[in-house]
Amino acid sequence: MGIFILLLLFGLCFFGVYVAKLAWIGFCARRKKPAPPPPPPAPPEPVYYIVERKKRTAKTTYSEPKKIIFEEKPK
């Protein structure tokens, strides 16, 4: 008779723990999670402009040519 009561008590405890575990899983699943806040808008990317150097226009008039004299170096 004692073994029967022991097995019955074990079965009730096992069943109780199993039901409590399933109830906890169901409770966690039913709880609604708060919606995540929307991400903040990203700052706009900087705009880079490609700028060409100002090109000089060729001179239309030139000065008179200069004469260059090369001197020999003393040895």
Side-chain angles (χ1 to χ4, degrees):
M1 184 72 173
I3 293 177
F4 177 70
I5 293 174
L6 185 65
L7 288 176
L8 183 65
L9 187 60
F10 176 75
L12 287 174
C13 288
F14 185 79
F15 182 72
V17 169
Y18 186 71
V19 168
K21 218 173 195 184
L22 285 177
W24 180 253
I25 292 171
F27 176 72
C28 289
R30 287 192 61 161
R31 243 190 320 182
K32 291 185 179 179
K33 296 176 183 171
E45 292 185 18
V47 178
Y48 296 103
Y49 296 101
I50 298 173
V51 180
E52 290 185 32
R53 278 191 161 176
K54 206 172 195 180
K55 295 180 182 174
R56 289 187 170 194
T57 55
K59 293 183 179 179
T60 54
T61 58
Y62 296 99
S63 62
E64 288 293 318
K66 297 179 182 176
K67 188 173 184 180
I68 301 174
I69 301 172
F70 293 99
E71 297 178 13
E72 283 189 36
K73 290 183 182 178
K75 291 185 181 178

